Amino acid sequence: DGGITQSPKYLFRKEGQNVTLSCEQNLNHDAMYWYRQDPGQGLRLIYYSQIVNDFQKGDIAEGYSVSREKKESFPLTVTSAQKNPTAFYLCASSISTPNTGELFFGEGSRLTVL
Amino acid sequence: AQSVAQPEDQVNVAEGNPLTVKCTYSVSGNPYLFWYVQYPNRGLQFLLKYITGDNLVKGSYGFEAEFNKSQTSFHLKKPSALVSDSALYFCAVRDGNSGGYQKVTFGIGTKLQVIP
């Protein structure tokens, strides 16, 4: 079945450690996104990529980094510079053109900093 | 700047009764509007969207939404609620008039509780 796979589903990190969240899609979508979800705040955009080897900062990119070396993959690294990394992270993809397409989401990764 | 307001943190409705989850938006160009549903510890699932055309949009699981341009609203509705509809619902907007990438802005979500 086509879809988006995020891993791991749960992740625990000690302060000062970098962690990488995986996101893989087999929908042949050009555009991919990372969102952060906190209770009562909705979804906030961290990074997005419209095409391979290109990505742009979203609204809350500080302390995060991404890469887009393959169309299918868009991993997110939460660095030690992110001051409050405990959150639910959602990866999504969509068609790029036209701009009318809905987002397809993965099942999410919950990161907890100990 | 575009924005989405979901004025109710929670909506409670009895099973079998009609439900409405409210959404208003602000965008400079033509709005592309979306509704998503999220079950606990899961990703968001697309329900329906309005791009152009008929103001009443039908979507998955018996949900529908009505686009009202004058009131800048896009309320989600269902004629008869099921207990399994209990979830978190997100409204989202994208500016359809601008070229290139236009980001999607989400509301903060409304928790729907259907009471047996």
Side-chain angles (χ1 to χ4, degrees):
Chain A
D1 284 0
I4 298 181
T5 301
Q6 288 187 241
S7 63
K9 188 164 180 64
Y10 299 96
L11 185 61
F12 298 90
R13 186 194 95 173
K14 294 181 180 179
E15 284 195 29
Q17 287 182 334
N18 292 354
V19 294
T20 298
L21 308 181
S22 170
C23 178
E24 303 279 331
Q25 57 102 355
N26 60 4
L27 298 167
N28 201 33
H29 286 166
D30 287 314
M32 297 188 74
Y33 314 81
W34 274 105
Y35 288 91
R36 171 179 171 142
Q37 184 178 17
D38 297 282
Q41 295 196 49
L43 275 69
R44 293 181 289 169
L45 183 64
I46 304 172
Y47 268 97
Y48 65 96
S49 168
Q50 290 184 270
I51 198 168
V52 175
N53 292 323
D54 185 57
F55 49 84
Q56 305 295 328
K57 293 181 179 180
D59 299 319
I60 56 165
E62 184 175 353
Y64 300 98
S65 66
V66 294
S67 63
R68 187 86 187 276
E69 296 176 1
K70 299 186 301 181
K71 187 175 184 177
E72 301 79 16
S73 180
F74 192 41
L76 173 74
T77 296
V78 184
T79 75
S80 56
Q82 169 50 233
K83 298 304 179 189
N84 185 20
T86 295
F88 191 51
Y89 291 88
L90 289 160
C91 179
S93 71
S94 71
I95 59 172
S96 212
T97 304
N99 212 7
T100 57
E102 62 271 22
L103 297 175
F104 290 77
F105 285 85
E107 290 293 283
S109 293
R110 186 168 297 280
L111 173 63
T112 303
V113 173
L114 304 173
Chain B
Q2 62 195 43
S3 64
V4 174
Q6 294 183 243
E8 301 153 317
D9 290 337
Q10 182 160 334
V11 170
N12 296 321
V13 63
E15 187 176 24
N17 282 4
L19 70 88
T20 298
V21 182
K22 295 179 180 178
C23 171
T24 59
Y25 65 90
S26 173
V27 67
S28 58
N30 282 333
Y32 292 168
L33 294 156
F34 306 82
W35 275 103
Y36 294 85
V37 60
Q38 184 182 36
Y39 297 97
N41 293 312
R42 305 292 296 276
L44 277 67
Q45 297 175 35
F46 168 73
L47 282 178
L48 50 80
K49 66 182 177 183
Y50 171 83
I51 303 300
T52 187
D54 195 345
N55 288 346
L56 184 63
V57 179
K58 294 188 183 295
S60 306
Y61 312 120
F63 284 94
E64 58 189 30
E66 187 165 12
F67 171 64
N68 188 317
K69 187 173 183 179
S70 62
Q71 296 185 6
T72 62
S73 67
F74 190 55
H75 301 330
L76 182 70
K77 300 182 180 185
K78 188 174 182 181
S80 178
L82 300 173
V83 172
S84 57
D85 293 330
S86 299
L88 188 59
Y89 290 81
F90 289 95
C91 182
V93 68
R94 176 180 253 166
D95 188 335
N97 268 22
S98 302
Y101 172 75
Q102 290 300 315
K103 75 171 190 177
V104 177
T105 298
F106 286 85
I108 63 171
T110 298
K111 183 178 180 181
L112 174 67
Q113 190 75 35
V114 181
I115 303 162

